[in-house]
PDB file of all heavy atoms in Angstrom:
ATOM      1  N   ASP S 105       7.835  69.383  12.222  1.00 55.00           N
ATOM      2  CA  ASP S 105       8.877  69.474  13.259  1.00 55.00           C
ATOM      3  C   ASP S 105       8.207  69.507  14.642  1.00 55.00           C
ATOM      4  O   ASP S 105       7.771  70.533  15.115  1.00 55.00           O
ATOM      5  CB  ASP S 105       9.787  70.688  13.034  1.00 55.00           C
ATOM      6  CG  ASP S 105       8.950  71.927  12.753  1.00 55.00           C
ATOM      7  OD1 ASP S 105       7.732  71.768  12.553  1.00 55.00           O
ATOM      8  OD2 ASP S 105       9.524  73.026  12.746  1.00 55.00           O
ATOM      9  N   VAL S 106       8.118  68.355  15.183  1.00 59.00           N
ATOM     10  CA  VAL S 106       7.399  68.204  16.430  1.00 59.00           C
ATOM     11  C   VAL S 106       8.411  68.043  17.542  1.00 59.00           C
ATOM     12  O   VAL S 106       9.240  67.147  17.493  1.00 59.00           O
ATOM     13  CB  VAL S 106       6.509  66.942  16.363  1.00 59.00           C
ATOM     14  CG1 VAL S 106       5.868  66.703  17.696  1.00 59.00           C
ATOM     15  CG2 VAL S 106       5.469  67.111  15.275  1.00 59.00           C
ATOM     16  N   SER S 107       8.369  68.942  18.477  1.00 62.00           N
ATOM     17  CA  SER S 107       9.348  68.813  19.566  1.00 62.00           C
ATOM     18  C   SER S 107       8.642  68.944  20.894  1.00 62.00           C
ATOM     19  O   SER S 107       8.753  69.955  21.568  1.00 62.00           O
ATOM     20  CB  SER S 107      10.429  69.877  19.425  1.00 62.00           C
ATOM     21  OG  SER S 107       9.806  71.149  19.367  1.00 62.00           O
ATOM     22  N   ILE S 108       7.856  67.973  21.239  1.00 70.00           N
ATOM     23  CA  ILE S 108       7.342  67.950  22.603  1.00 70.00           C
ATOM     24  C   ILE S 108       7.901  66.715  23.267  1.00 70.00           C
ATOM     25  O   ILE S 108       8.054  65.675  22.633  1.00 70.00           O
ATOM     26  CB  ILE S 108       5.792  67.936  22.662  1.00 70.00           C
ATOM     27  CG1 ILE S 108       5.214  66.763  21.884  1.00 70.00           C
ATOM     28  CG2 ILE S 108       5.220  69.236  22.171  1.00 70.00           C
ATOM     29  CD1 ILE S 108       3.774  66.496  22.221  1.00 70.00           C
ATOM     30  N   PRO S 109       8.267  66.831  24.534  1.00 74.00           N
ATOM     31  CA  PRO S 109       8.806  65.650  25.201  1.00 74.00           C
ATOM     32  C   PRO S 109       7.683  64.645  25.436  1.00 74.00           C
ATOM     33  O   PRO S 109       6.535  65.020  25.650  1.00 74.00           O
ATOM     34  CB  PRO S 109       9.333  66.207  26.524  1.00 74.00           C
ATOM     35  CG  PRO S 109       8.541  67.442  26.756  1.00 74.00           C
ATOM     36  CD  PRO S 109       8.171  67.986  25.428  1.00 74.00           C
ATOM     37  N   ASN S 110       8.013  63.403  25.358  1.00 84.00           N
ATOM     38  CA  ASN S 110       7.056  62.342  25.669  1.00 84.00           C
ATOM     39  C   ASN S 110       5.728  62.501  24.937  1.00 84.00           C
ATOM     40  O   ASN S 110       4.706  62.785  25.517  1.00 84.00           O
ATOM     41  CB  ASN S 110       6.778  62.295  27.169  1.00 84.00           C
ATOM     42  CG  ASN S 110       7.988  61.882  27.942  1.00 84.00           C
ATOM     43  OD1 ASN S 110       8.839  61.172  27.415  1.00 84.00           O
ATOM     44  ND2 ASN S 110       8.085  62.329  29.167  1.00 84.00           N
ATOM     45  N   ARG S 111       5.800  62.355  23.655  1.00 86.00           N
ATOM     46  CA  ARG S 111       4.598  62.532  22.857  1.00 86.00           C
ATOM     47  C   ARG S 111       3.643  61.351  22.984  1.00 86.00           C
ATOM     48  O   ARG S 111       2.440  61.520  23.101  1.00 86.00           O
ATOM     49  CB  ARG S 111       5.024  62.698  21.405  1.00 86.00           C
ATOM     50  CG  ARG S 111       3.900  62.987  20.497  1.00 86.00           C
ATOM     51  CD  ARG S 111       4.353  63.250  19.091  1.00 86.00           C
ATOM     52  NE  ARG S 111       3.261  62.935  18.198  1.00 86.00           N
ATOM     53  CZ  ARG S 111       3.371  62.893  16.888  1.00 86.00           C
ATOM     54  NH1 ARG S 111       4.520  63.146  16.301  1.00 86.00           N
ATOM     55  NH2 ARG S 111       2.326  62.593  16.151  1.00 86.00           N
ATOM     56  N   TYR S 112       4.165  60.161  22.983  1.00 90.00           N
ATOM     57  CA  TYR S 112       3.289  58.993  22.997  1.00 90.00           C
ATOM     58  C   TYR S 112       3.241  58.361  24.378  1.00 90.00           C
ATOM     59  O   TYR S 112       4.235  58.307  25.087  1.00 90.00           O
ATOM     60  CB  TYR S 112       3.782  57.922  22.017  1.00 90.00           C
ATOM     61  CG  TYR S 112       3.807  58.418  20.617  1.00 90.00           C
ATOM     62  CD1 TYR S 112       4.988  58.785  20.011  1.00 90.00           C
ATOM     63  CD2 TYR S 112       2.630  58.538  19.888  1.00 90.00           C
ATOM     64  CE1 TYR S 112       5.027  59.250  18.718  1.00 90.00           C
ATOM     65  CE2 TYR S 112       2.642  59.001  18.591  1.00 90.00           C
ATOM     66  CZ  TYR S 112       3.843  59.359  18.016  1.00 90.00           C
ATOM     67  OH  TYR S 112       3.867  59.837  16.740  1.00 90.00           O
ATOM     68  N   ALA S 113       2.063  57.881  24.715  1.00 91.00           N
ATOM     69  CA  ALA S 113       1.928  57.128  25.960  1.00 91.00           C
ATOM     70  C   ALA S 113       1.049  55.927  25.689  1.00 91.00           C
ATOM     71  O   ALA S 113       0.200  55.948  24.807  1.00 91.00           O
ATOM     72  CB  ALA S 113       1.293  57.985  27.047  1.00 91.00           C
ATOM     73  N   SER S 114       1.298  54.891  26.455  1.00 92.00           N
ATOM     74  CA  SER S 114       0.447  53.716  26.428  1.00 92.00           C
ATOM     75  C   SER S 114      -0.282  53.688  27.765  1.00 92.00           C
ATOM     76  O   SER S 114       0.360  53.743  28.814  1.00 92.00           O
ATOM     77  CB  SER S 114       1.323  52.482  26.228  1.00 92.00           C
ATOM     78  OG  SER S 114       0.560  51.322  26.313  1.00 92.00           O
ATOM     79  N   VAL S 115      -1.594  53.680  27.711  1.00 93.00           N
ATOM     80  CA  VAL S 115      -2.389  53.766  28.938  1.00 93.00           C
ATOM     81  C   VAL S 115      -3.179  52.482  29.095  1.00 93.00           C
ATOM     82  O   VAL S 115      -3.849  52.061  28.147  1.00 93.00           O
ATOM     83  CB  VAL S 115      -3.361  54.965  28.886  1.00 93.00           C
ATOM     84  CG1 VAL S 115      -4.157  55.067  30.163  1.00 93.00           C
ATOM     85  CG2 VAL S 115      -2.614  56.241  28.622  1.00 93.00           C
ATOM     86  N   PHE S 116      -3.064  51.856  30.241  1.00 93.00           N
ATOM     87  CA  PHE S 116      -3.918  50.682  30.437  1.00 93.00           C
ATOM     88  C   PHE S 116      -4.694  50.730  31.744  1.00 93.00           C
ATOM     89  O   PHE S 116      -4.295  51.412  32.686  1.00 93.00           O
ATOM     90  CB  PHE S 116      -3.153  49.367  30.267  1.00 93.00           C
ATOM     91  CG  PHE S 116      -1.951  49.207  31.153  1.00 93.00           C
ATOM     92  CD1 PHE S 116      -2.064  48.517  32.356  1.00 93.00           C
ATOM     93  CD2 PHE S 116      -0.719  49.679  30.777  1.00 93.00           C
ATOM     94  CE1 PHE S 116      -0.955  48.337  33.169  1.00 93.00           C
ATOM     95  CE2 PHE S 116       0.395  49.503  31.592  1.00 93.00           C
ATOM     96  CZ  PHE S 116       0.275  48.842  32.777  1.00 93.00           C
ATOM     97  N   HIS S 117      -5.819  50.050  31.736  1.00 93.00           N
ATOM     98  CA  HIS S 117      -6.722  50.027  32.887  1.00 93.00           C
ATOM     99  C   HIS S 117      -6.767  48.630  33.463  1.00 93.00           C
ATOM    100  O   HIS S 117      -6.999  47.666  32.740  1.00 93.00           O
ATOM    101  CB  HIS S 117      -8.131  50.457  32.475  1.00 93.00           C
ATOM    102  CG  HIS S 117      -8.206  51.891  32.086  1.00 93.00           C
ATOM    103  ND1 HIS S 117      -7.980  52.326  30.814  1.00 93.00           N
ATOM    104  CD2 HIS S 117      -8.456  53.003  32.813  1.00 93.00           C
ATOM    105  CE1 HIS S 117      -8.089  53.640  30.766  1.00 93.00           C
ATOM    106  NE2 HIS S 117      -8.369  54.072  31.969  1.00 93.00           N
ATOM    107  N   LEU S 118      -6.520  48.563  34.766  1.00 92.00           N
ATOM    108  CA  LEU S 118      -6.517  47.263  35.432  1.00 92.00           C
ATOM    109  C   LEU S 118      -7.756  47.143  36.310  1.00 92.00           C
ATOM    110  O   LEU S 118      -8.279  48.136  36.818  1.00 92.00           O
ATOM    111  CB  LEU S 118      -5.269  47.127  36.311  1.00 92.00           C
ATOM    112  CG  LEU S 118      -3.948  47.187  35.576  1.00 92.00           C
ATOM    113  CD1 LEU S 118      -2.808  47.177  36.566  1.00 92.00           C
ATOM    114  CD2 LEU S 118      -3.815  46.028  34.617  1.00 92.00           C
ATOM    115  N   LEU S 119      -8.189  45.917  36.460  1.00 92.00           N
ATOM    116  CA  LEU S 119      -9.367  45.647  37.287  1.00 92.00           C
ATOM    117  C   LEU S 119      -9.057  44.453  38.183  1.00 92.00           C
ATOM    118  O   LEU S 119      -8.522  43.460  37.717  1.00 92.00           O
ATOM    119  CB  LEU S 119     -10.570  45.329  36.387  1.00 92.00           C
ATOM    120  CG  LEU S 119     -11.821  44.774  37.058  1.00 92.00           C
ATOM    121  CD1 LEU S 119     -12.482  45.821  37.923  1.00 92.00           C
ATOM    122  CD2 LEU S 119     -12.795  44.267  36.016  1.00 92.00           C
ATOM    123  N   SER S 120      -9.349  44.624  39.450  1.00 91.00           N
ATOM    124  CA  SER S 120      -9.230  43.496  40.369  1.00 91.00           C
ATOM    125  C   SER S 120     -10.619  43.025  40.721  1.00 91.00           C
ATOM    126  O   SER S 120     -11.378  43.739  41.381  1.00 91.00           O
ATOM    127  CB  SER S 120      -8.479  43.903  41.628  1.00 91.00           C
ATOM    128  OG  SER S 120      -8.631  42.894  42.594  1.00 91.00           O
TER     129      SER S 120
END
Side-chain angles (χ1 to χ4, degrees):
Chain S
D105 46 350
V106 175
S107 55
I108 56 164
N110 293 333
R111 184 176 155 188
Y112 299 103
S114 175
V115 181
F116 56 95
H117 292 88
L118 299 175
L119 169 69
S120 168

